[in-house]
Short mmCIF file of all heavy atoms in Angstrom, two decimals:
data_model
loop_
_atom_site.label_atom_id
_atom_site.label_comp_id
_atom_site.label_asym_id
_atom_site.label_seq_id
_atom_site.Cartn_x
_atom_site.Cartn_y
_atom_site.Cartn_z
N VAL A 1279 340.29 155.19 196.18
CA VAL A 1279 339.44 156.38 196.19
C VAL A 1279 340.05 157.49 195.35
O VAL A 1279 339.36 158.15 194.56
CB VAL A 1279 339.22 156.86 197.64
CG1 VAL A 1279 338.60 158.25 197.67
CG2 VAL A 1279 338.35 155.87 198.41
N TYR A 1280 341.35 157.70 195.50
CA TYR A 1280 342.04 158.75 194.74
C TYR A 1280 341.90 158.54 193.23
O TYR A 1280 341.63 159.48 192.49
CB TYR A 1280 343.51 158.78 195.15
CG TYR A 1280 344.38 159.66 194.28
CD1 TYR A 1280 344.17 161.04 194.21
CD2 TYR A 1280 345.42 159.11 193.53
CE1 TYR A 1280 344.97 161.84 193.42
CE2 TYR A 1280 346.22 159.91 192.74
CZ TYR A 1280 346.00 161.28 192.68
OH TYR A 1280 346.79 162.07 191.89
N LEU A 1281 342.08 157.31 192.79
CA LEU A 1281 341.96 157.03 191.36
C LEU A 1281 340.55 157.33 190.86
O LEU A 1281 340.37 157.80 189.73
CB LEU A 1281 342.34 155.57 191.06
CG LEU A 1281 343.81 155.23 191.30
CD1 LEU A 1281 344.08 153.76 191.02
CD2 LEU A 1281 344.72 156.11 190.45
N GLU A 1282 339.55 157.07 191.68
CA GLU A 1282 338.18 157.41 191.29
C GLU A 1282 338.00 158.93 191.25
O GLU A 1282 337.34 159.46 190.34
CB GLU A 1282 337.18 156.79 192.27
CG GLU A 1282 337.13 155.27 192.25
CD GLU A 1282 336.58 154.71 190.96
OE1 GLU A 1282 336.05 155.49 190.13
OE2 GLU A 1282 336.68 153.49 190.75
N LEU A 1283 338.57 159.64 192.21
CA LEU A 1283 338.41 161.09 192.26
C LEU A 1283 339.03 161.78 191.04
O LEU A 1283 338.55 162.83 190.62
CB LEU A 1283 339.05 161.64 193.54
CG LEU A 1283 338.29 161.39 194.84
CD1 LEU A 1283 339.14 161.78 196.04
CD2 LEU A 1283 336.97 162.16 194.86
N ILE A 1284 340.10 161.21 190.50
CA ILE A 1284 340.75 161.86 189.36
C ILE A 1284 340.27 161.32 188.02
O ILE A 1284 340.82 161.65 186.98
CB ILE A 1284 342.29 161.73 189.44
CG1 ILE A 1284 342.73 160.27 189.39
CG2 ILE A 1284 342.82 162.42 190.69
CD1 ILE A 1284 344.23 160.10 189.28
N GLY A 1285 339.25 160.49 188.05
CA GLY A 1285 338.69 160.03 186.78
C GLY A 1285 338.42 158.55 186.71
O GLY A 1285 338.00 158.05 185.67
N GLY A 1286 338.70 157.86 187.79
CA GLY A 1286 338.33 156.46 187.85
C GLY A 1286 339.22 155.56 187.04
O GLY A 1286 340.32 155.90 186.61
N ARG A 1287 338.72 154.36 186.80
CA ARG A 1287 339.50 153.33 186.12
C ARG A 1287 339.84 153.72 184.69
O ARG A 1287 340.78 153.21 184.10
CB ARG A 1287 338.74 152.01 186.16
CG ARG A 1287 338.55 151.48 187.57
CD ARG A 1287 337.69 150.22 187.62
NE ARG A 1287 337.53 149.73 188.97
CZ ARG A 1287 336.62 150.19 189.81
NH1 ARG A 1287 335.80 151.14 189.44
NH2 ARG A 1287 336.53 149.70 191.03
N GLN A 1288 339.07 154.64 184.10
CA GLN A 1288 339.37 155.06 182.73
C GLN A 1288 340.73 155.71 182.64
O GLN A 1288 341.42 155.61 181.63
CB GLN A 1288 338.29 156.03 182.24
CG GLN A 1288 336.91 155.41 182.13
CD GLN A 1288 336.89 154.18 181.24
OE1 GLN A 1288 337.49 154.19 180.17
NE2 GLN A 1288 336.24 153.13 181.68
N VAL A 1289 341.15 156.42 183.71
CA VAL A 1289 342.48 157.03 183.72
C VAL A 1289 343.55 155.97 183.60
O VAL A 1289 344.47 156.06 182.80
CB VAL A 1289 342.67 157.86 185.01
CG1 VAL A 1289 344.11 158.34 185.12
CG2 VAL A 1289 341.72 159.04 185.02
N ALA A 1290 343.42 154.93 184.43
CA ALA A 1290 344.42 153.87 184.40
C ALA A 1290 344.42 153.14 183.06
O ALA A 1290 345.47 152.83 182.51
CB ALA A 1290 344.15 152.87 185.54
N LEU A 1291 343.24 152.88 182.51
CA LEU A 1291 343.17 152.18 181.23
C LEU A 1291 343.82 153.00 180.12
O LEU A 1291 344.52 152.47 179.27
CB LEU A 1291 341.71 151.88 180.89
CG LEU A 1291 341.03 150.81 181.74
CD1 LEU A 1291 339.54 150.75 181.41
CD2 LEU A 1291 341.68 149.45 181.54
N ALA A 1292 343.59 154.31 180.14
CA ALA A 1292 344.18 155.17 179.12
C ALA A 1292 345.70 155.18 179.23
O ALA A 1292 346.41 155.12 178.23
CB ALA A 1292 343.63 156.59 179.24
N LEU A 1293 346.20 155.24 180.46
CA LEU A 1293 347.64 155.27 180.65
C LEU A 1293 348.28 153.95 180.25
O LEU A 1293 349.38 153.92 179.71
CB LEU A 1293 347.97 155.60 182.11
CG LEU A 1293 347.72 157.06 182.49
CD1 LEU A 1293 347.74 157.22 184.01
CD2 LEU A 1293 348.76 157.96 181.85
#
Side-chain angles (χ1 to χ4, degrees):
V1279 168
Y1280 170 63
L1281 293 178
E1282 294 292 350
L1283 286 170
I1284 62 172
R1287 296 175 180 84
Q1288 296 304 316
V1289 172
L1291 289 172
L1293 287 166

